[in-house]
Amino acid sequence: MTRPLTVLHVFGVMDRAGAELLTVELLRHLSPDRYRFVFVTLTGRPGALAQEIRSLGGSVYPCRLDLGFPVRFFRLLRSLRPDVVHSCVATFSGAILLMARVAGVRRRVAHFHSTSDRHGVSLRGRFQRAVMRQLIDWFATDLVAVAEAAMTGLWRSDWRNERRCRVLYNGLDPAPFERAVVTTAATGSSCIAEGPAERSRTASDAAPGWQPVIVHIGRPDPVKNRAAAVDVLIALRRCGVPARLRVVGREDARESADLRRRAELGGVADAFDLTGESFDIPALLAGADLLLVTSRSEGLPTVVLEACAVGTPVLSVDLPGVLEIGRVLGGVTTVPQGSRVEIWGAAAAGMLTAPPTSAQRVRAFRAFAASPFVVEHWRRGMTSVWDQ
């Protein structure tokens, strides 16, 4: 019997975030007789997904990024002897793939999940980025990005001229989103058949007492800019829209206190909830009227795909990855980066004239299921990289 192909993934930590969750989802769709997943985390912490990974047959090795890291990581590579090292740590992948090459790993993949790294624009940051890109150039056998914008941002604009480069859109399992849409259609009051009158509804047509639900989903990281979502709620309330905001994701005590204080000062404390992590994002989004994306940087934001899959409108800053999704799927509205909060508020108010209908959600799901953003498309693409 042929032994499974061992794929060693490198992440910061296996917490509940877009790329990490999607990689675990991919593990569910692969035969353990064909692929074995190993995760190395550079924070030295396994992360909230570690138990689930182990239950699916994978392994997690915390390997803290400090002065002793190179020796520990090299020894781990020599011990595990992976067939593939798949690095998901932006341009730092250059250092990871250098060590993989020294350890004799045949397939070495740099996978870009965002349009920028954390080196910044200082002279030191630019130097570090240049060195890491050179190492990627020398030691990567394959370069994969979640979006064209991610490949251009972290690699270079002429990437299409390189055989090693390919864009593979993140893929979601359609089943939970179909269930969420069907459940919403079964319990909601909207009609499946939609006519011209329904398409032209205004706020006055909405159910009496309708209170729009806005969600923001993301971890407590400055790049997610969760405070901006509270500012949008304040602007909406000032426009007379009786919306509620749910900020979903892992909490940080200091940031949570700041967000609550911001809501109190803006007079919207009674319409603001910090709900912590959710384990049923499809149902959460299917029960919402608008998704806000206020991030400063993203690759191909999973949460936008999830909202599109259940027909929940998206209002986002005009990040390249979001625009890429919007070209394929409907329901995405963007505002320019740096826009005043009043512009966000006006845009949101225009989108919250009535809740999405069951018919709209069903059509949105069908468009998503036929798109390149499904897990089967992603599975075929990723395994073709590893199997070469």
Side-chain angles (χ1 to χ4, degrees), residues 342-353:
E342 291 80 10
I343 294 175
W344 280 86
M351 299 172 72
L352 290 172
T353 57

Side-chain angles (χ1 to χ4, degrees), residues 22 26 86 109-113 142-151 159 164-172 299-300 305 324 372-386 388:
L22 285 169
L26 184 61
H86 192 119
V109 184
H111 197 157
F112 302 133
H113 291 271
D142 299 87
L143 291 89
V144 178
V146 297
E148 293 180 7
M151 187 70 84
W159 61 268
R164 295 182 297 170
C165 296
R166 69 178 79 183
V167 169
L168 287 176
Y169 290 133
N170 291 337
L172 304 179
L300 192 82
L305 295 176
E324 230 167 297
F373 302 116
V374 294
V375 68
E376 183 57 26
H377 183 276
W378 188 40
R379 183 193 66 79
R380 289 196 304 267
M382 287 311 314
T383 55
S384 71
V385 172
W386 302 332
Q388 291 182 54

